[in-house]
Amino acid sequence: MNSTKKNYRQKSLFWKPIPSNPLWQQKKPTAHGSTVATEAIDEIGRQDRVDTTQAMTGTHVLVNEAQNELLRRYEMDIKARFDDIEAVLKDILTQQGKPGFVAWANQALFAKLGVKLTEDDWQSELNFQPQKAFQKLYAKTLFAQFIRMSEDFYINDPLMGQRKQEAERIFKEAGFHAVGIAPCADGRLAHVVSYVLRLPYDAVRRKAHAGSLFDISESVRNWVFIEHTRFREGKPNAAEEPTRYLKIAVYHFSKADPTHQGCAAHGSDDQKAAEAALTKLKDFRQAIENRFGCGASVQTLLIGMNTDDDSLKIHIPNEQGKVCLQRFVETDQLYQQTADLSADQAKQAIEHAIDDCNLNRSSTAPQPGVNTLIAWLIANNFSQLAYVNRYENGCYSDIGHAERFIGVGNGFEEVQLRNLSYYSFLDTVEEGVNDVDVGIKIFKGLNVKKGRPIPIIIRCDYDGRVPGSKDRAQAKAVRIEKALHNRYQELSASGLLQTMPTLRDFTGCQPAERLPSLADFSA
């Protein structure tokens, strides 16, 4: 597939053009090659400073171009599989009068999208009126594409996310034995691990929540499990080794349209989003200290992500590990400042910038291991900045929501692409109701208004080593599916809410297993 930029989705319902402003007269090229004014005034009359830098030209010495090409091919291929569903199905459904339609339709579907449905799927849905038939077939085809993607992801490892040895070595040398990342559930952050930070998905734990408001109790339980495994089995390293657990929270913002395309959970208020994520990190650290008296075993890191171009604002901890919203470095600026340096010079410049960030604000420099890790993450992000610059003209065309489906439950490591899925970690719908409500609201604009159903994939992971774990996970998935249809009864009754429960054994690289859905039982 052609790796050049191609838009498969229409602009999000929430996208709106930035109006012209008579004050925008002196313009300079930005990091993503467009132009913005040095100063602008938003609609409430507040004057904001717009960062301006030189356009990215040439190739930065720390950019991995070969990796960028691999990631681009994967992104374009996977998204095309989902985005072509509507057009392909509508074209097939115009041929219903063809003799042997069902067999022909399945062959046509496989030829164009690489998946098949059962004959029962076609026969049962064609008994409905055309729009209803399209909605049901659309959801079933999308679900089939997800299962296909999951199989490819875990079996073939196209992003090489199972090759985690190098990342784990760097983590340990920096003084960390495990890393947990809590991004916002917004689909524009779904690629934060494999693309934005360039980390192997199997080397970190990702749990997404709306507004980055992760569950502290759940995070503490996970920390206890990790430390117990170190104590009993010496994995990933021995308990006596002086390493720590790293918890990263990732909030997000939009520089292009800050009052509309920021975090919906915080009313597109960047300050509130950052403060809320930082509060969660502080509370998590305090919970560990209060319960176990070992605060030194936990390090927290706060990262802000500009969803327009994937640049990062990394808040630098001081020597005691404390984070401050006013102390940060921005990766797009560092990219420009180090563009003409050699690899060693660029790495040194990044490390100096991290220390200077705190020292220039009358604080202490971070611990050496923390500096090393942050510098590595910044260098990784340089490749993503070059990726967006090359393939997206420096700024995503879909700066708003453009997700293809909603994922709820746990797991979903196979979703590593921007705006592919709105994902929310949850154990029960009641506990995660706020996250799910946000997702439903988004998809009413993305899908329902265009006559497409809202597809929700439910995932419950289980431990294949534990007797009864799979049965309990299956019961949980069924319970979540019923709760979703009960909560959104109007959408469910009209066929605009379609669900697929799945399971997965997280102890290996097995793909998702599809369970019978409520729709299957009713049929």
Side-chain angles (χ1 to χ4, degrees), residues 53 67 100 108 160 169 172 229 232 238-239 252 285 302 337 344 346 376 380-381 401 403 429 456 507:
T53 56
Q67 185 185 42
M160 296 182 285
R169 179 187 64 79
K172 289 179 182 178
T229 304
R232 296 291 297 178
H252 65 100
R285 182 183 177 113
L302 180 65
Q337 293 166 7
D344 289 339
W376 178 55
N380 288 354
N381 183 243
H401 291 282
E403 292 95 330
V429 171
I456 301 183
T507 60

Short mmCIF file of all heavy atoms in Angstrom, two decimals, residues 53 67 100 108 160 169 172 229 232 238-239 252 285 302 337 344 346 376 380-381 401 403 429 456 507:
data_model
loop_
_atom_site.label_atom_id
_atom_site.label_comp_id
_atom_site.label_asym_id
_atom_site.label_seq_id
_atom_site.Cartn_x
_atom_site.Cartn_y
_atom_site.Cartn_z
N THR A 53 8.43 27.73 15.87
CA THR A 53 9.76 27.20 15.67
C THR A 53 10.00 27.05 14.18
O THR A 53 9.09 27.18 13.38
CB THR A 53 9.91 25.83 16.34
OG1 THR A 53 8.89 24.97 15.84
CG2 THR A 53 9.80 25.94 17.86
N GLN A 67 12.05 2.42 10.94
CA GLN A 67 10.93 2.11 11.83
C GLN A 67 9.69 2.91 11.43
O GLN A 67 8.56 2.40 11.45
CB GLN A 67 11.31 2.41 13.27
CG GLN A 67 10.25 2.01 14.30
CD GLN A 67 10.61 2.43 15.71
OE1 GLN A 67 11.09 3.53 15.93
NE2 GLN A 67 10.38 1.55 16.66
N GLY A 100 -27.53 -16.85 -6.20
CA GLY A 100 -26.50 -17.30 -5.26
C GLY A 100 -25.84 -16.14 -4.56
O GLY A 100 -24.61 -16.14 -4.36
N ALA A 108 -17.01 -11.75 -2.38
CA ALA A 108 -16.69 -10.34 -2.64
C ALA A 108 -16.16 -9.66 -1.39
O ALA A 108 -15.21 -8.87 -1.44
CB ALA A 108 -17.94 -9.62 -3.16
N MET A 160 6.63 -5.51 16.37
CA MET A 160 7.78 -6.02 17.14
C MET A 160 7.67 -5.62 18.62
O MET A 160 8.67 -5.36 19.28
CB MET A 160 9.09 -5.53 16.53
CG MET A 160 9.34 -6.06 15.13
SD MET A 160 10.91 -5.55 14.39
CE MET A 160 10.51 -3.85 13.99
N ARG A 169 16.15 -3.61 29.46
CA ARG A 169 17.53 -3.32 29.89
C ARG A 169 17.69 -1.83 30.19
O ARG A 169 18.28 -1.46 31.22
CB ARG A 169 18.51 -3.72 28.79
CG ARG A 169 19.97 -3.45 29.13
CD ARG A 169 20.89 -3.69 27.96
NE ARG A 169 20.62 -2.79 26.85
CZ ARG A 169 21.05 -1.53 26.80
NH1 ARG A 169 21.75 -1.01 27.81
NH2 ARG A 169 20.78 -0.78 25.75
N LYS A 172 15.94 -0.96 33.48
CA LYS A 172 16.67 -1.41 34.67
C LYS A 172 17.92 -0.58 34.90
O LYS A 172 18.27 -0.26 36.04
CB LYS A 172 17.02 -2.90 34.52
CG LYS A 172 15.80 -3.81 34.64
CD LYS A 172 16.18 -5.28 34.47
CE LYS A 172 14.95 -6.16 34.54
NZ LYS A 172 15.28 -7.60 34.33
N THR A 229 5.80 -10.71 43.09
CA THR A 229 6.47 -11.55 42.11
C THR A 229 7.98 -11.39 42.19
O THR A 229 8.73 -12.36 42.06
CB THR A 229 5.98 -11.21 40.70
OG1 THR A 229 4.55 -11.34 40.64
CG2 THR A 229 6.59 -12.15 39.66
N ARG A 232 9.00 -13.35 45.44
CA ARG A 232 8.87 -14.80 45.40
C ARG A 232 9.66 -15.45 44.26
O ARG A 232 10.20 -16.54 44.43
CB ARG A 232 7.38 -15.17 45.25
CG ARG A 232 6.52 -14.75 46.43
CD ARG A 232 6.81 -15.55 47.66
NE ARG A 232 6.52 -16.97 47.48
CZ ARG A 232 6.71 -17.90 48.40
NH1 ARG A 232 7.23 -17.55 49.57
NH2 ARG A 232 6.43 -19.16 48.16
N ALA A 238 15.44 -9.33 41.13
CA ALA A 238 15.38 -9.70 42.55
C ALA A 238 14.89 -8.53 43.41
O ALA A 238 15.16 -7.36 43.11
CB ALA A 238 16.76 -10.16 43.02
N ALA A 239 14.19 -8.86 44.48
CA ALA A 239 13.59 -7.84 45.33
C ALA A 239 14.65 -6.96 46.01
O ALA A 239 14.39 -5.80 46.33
CB ALA A 239 12.71 -8.50 46.39
N HIS A 252 -3.69 15.22 27.80
CA HIS A 252 -3.52 15.70 26.43
C HIS A 252 -4.15 17.07 26.22
O HIS A 252 -4.99 17.53 27.01
CB HIS A 252 -4.08 14.69 25.42
CG HIS A 252 -5.57 14.49 25.51
ND1 HIS A 252 -6.47 15.09 24.66
CD2 HIS A 252 -6.32 13.73 26.35
CE1 HIS A 252 -7.69 14.72 24.96
NE2 HIS A 252 -7.64 13.90 25.98
N ARG A 285 1.21 7.67 44.82
CA ARG A 285 2.46 7.61 45.59
C ARG A 285 2.17 7.65 47.09
O ARG A 285 2.78 6.89 47.87
CB ARG A 285 3.36 8.77 45.17
CG ARG A 285 4.71 8.80 45.85
CD ARG A 285 5.48 10.03 45.43
NE ARG A 285 6.75 10.11 46.12
CZ ARG A 285 7.93 10.01 45.54
NH1 ARG A 285 8.01 9.77 44.24
NH2 ARG A 285 9.05 10.10 46.24
N LEU A 302 4.81 12.77 34.84
CA LEU A 302 3.65 13.39 34.19
C LEU A 302 4.05 13.85 32.79
O LEU A 302 5.04 14.55 32.62
CB LEU A 302 3.14 14.57 35.01
CG LEU A 302 1.93 15.32 34.45
CD1 LEU A 302 0.70 14.41 34.43
CD2 LEU A 302 1.65 16.58 35.27
N GLN A 337 16.29 22.32 18.42
CA GLN A 337 17.56 22.76 19.01
C GLN A 337 18.69 21.77 18.76
O GLN A 337 19.86 22.15 18.79
CB GLN A 337 17.36 22.98 20.51
CG GLN A 337 16.43 24.14 20.84
CD GLN A 337 15.99 24.14 22.29
OE1 GLN A 337 16.47 23.34 23.09
NE2 GLN A 337 15.06 25.03 22.63
N ASP A 344 25.74 11.87 19.51
CA ASP A 344 26.23 12.04 20.88
C ASP A 344 25.96 13.45 21.38
O ASP A 344 25.56 13.64 22.54
CB ASP A 344 27.72 11.74 20.95
CG ASP A 344 28.01 10.25 20.79
OD1 ASP A 344 27.09 9.45 21.02
OD2 ASP A 344 29.16 9.91 20.43
N ALA A 346 23.57 15.46 20.41
CA ALA A 346 22.13 15.63 20.60
C ALA A 346 21.68 15.00 21.92
O ALA A 346 20.90 15.59 22.68
CB ALA A 346 21.37 15.02 19.43
N TRP A 376 15.88 9.30 26.96
CA TRP A 376 15.61 8.21 26.01
C TRP A 376 14.21 8.35 25.43
O TRP A 376 14.01 8.20 24.22
CB TRP A 376 15.77 6.87 26.73
CG TRP A 376 15.49 5.68 25.89
CD1 TRP A 376 16.06 5.35 24.69
CD2 TRP A 376 14.56 4.62 26.19
NE1 TRP A 376 15.55 4.15 24.23
CE2 TRP A 376 14.64 3.69 25.13
CE3 TRP A 376 13.70 4.37 27.26
CZ2 TRP A 376 13.86 2.53 25.10
CZ3 TRP A 376 12.94 3.22 27.24
CH2 TRP A 376 13.02 2.32 26.17
N ASN A 380 13.12 8.96 21.55
CA ASN A 380 12.13 8.11 20.89
C ASN A 380 11.04 8.95 20.23
O ASN A 380 10.60 8.67 19.11
CB ASN A 380 11.49 7.15 21.90
CG ASN A 380 12.42 6.04 22.34
OD1 ASN A 380 13.52 5.90 21.82
ND2 ASN A 380 11.99 5.26 23.31
N ASN A 381 10.59 9.97 20.94
CA ASN A 381 9.52 10.82 20.42
C ASN A 381 9.94 11.60 19.19
O ASN A 381 9.11 11.96 18.36
CB ASN A 381 9.03 11.77 21.52
CG ASN A 381 7.86 12.63 21.07
OD1 ASN A 381 7.97 13.86 21.01
ND2 ASN A 381 6.74 12.02 20.75
N HIS A 401 -11.95 13.70 17.25
CA HIS A 401 -12.23 12.27 17.35
C HIS A 401 -12.54 11.70 15.98
O HIS A 401 -13.25 12.29 15.18
CB HIS A 401 -13.41 12.03 18.28
CG HIS A 401 -13.12 12.34 19.71
ND1 HIS A 401 -12.42 11.48 20.51
CD2 HIS A 401 -13.43 13.41 20.48
CE1 HIS A 401 -12.32 12.00 21.73
NE2 HIS A 401 -12.91 13.17 21.72
N GLU A 403 -12.54 7.84 15.94
CA GLU A 403 -12.37 6.44 16.30
C GLU A 403 -13.29 5.53 15.49
O GLU A 403 -14.35 5.96 15.00
CB GLU A 403 -12.65 6.24 17.80
CG GLU A 403 -11.62 6.89 18.72
CD GLU A 403 -12.02 8.28 19.19
OE1 GLU A 403 -12.74 8.97 18.42
OE2 GLU A 403 -11.64 8.67 20.30
N VAL A 429 -19.68 -1.86 34.34
CA VAL A 429 -20.19 -0.66 33.68
C VAL A 429 -20.47 0.43 34.70
O VAL A 429 -20.23 1.62 34.46
CB VAL A 429 -21.46 -1.00 32.87
CG1 VAL A 429 -22.14 0.28 32.37
CG2 VAL A 429 -21.12 -1.90 31.70
N ILE A 456 -19.23 -1.83 19.95
CA ILE A 456 -18.49 -1.93 21.22
C ILE A 456 -17.92 -3.33 21.35
O ILE A 456 -18.66 -4.33 21.26
CB ILE A 456 -19.39 -1.61 22.43
CG1 ILE A 456 -19.97 -0.20 22.32
CG2 ILE A 456 -18.59 -1.76 23.72
CD1 ILE A 456 -20.81 0.20 23.52
N THR A 507 -1.51 -14.72 29.54
CA THR A 507 -0.22 -15.32 29.91
C THR A 507 0.67 -15.59 28.71
O THR A 507 1.83 -15.96 28.88
CB THR A 507 -0.43 -16.62 30.69
OG1 THR A 507 -1.15 -17.55 29.86
CG2 THR A 507 -1.21 -16.38 31.97
#
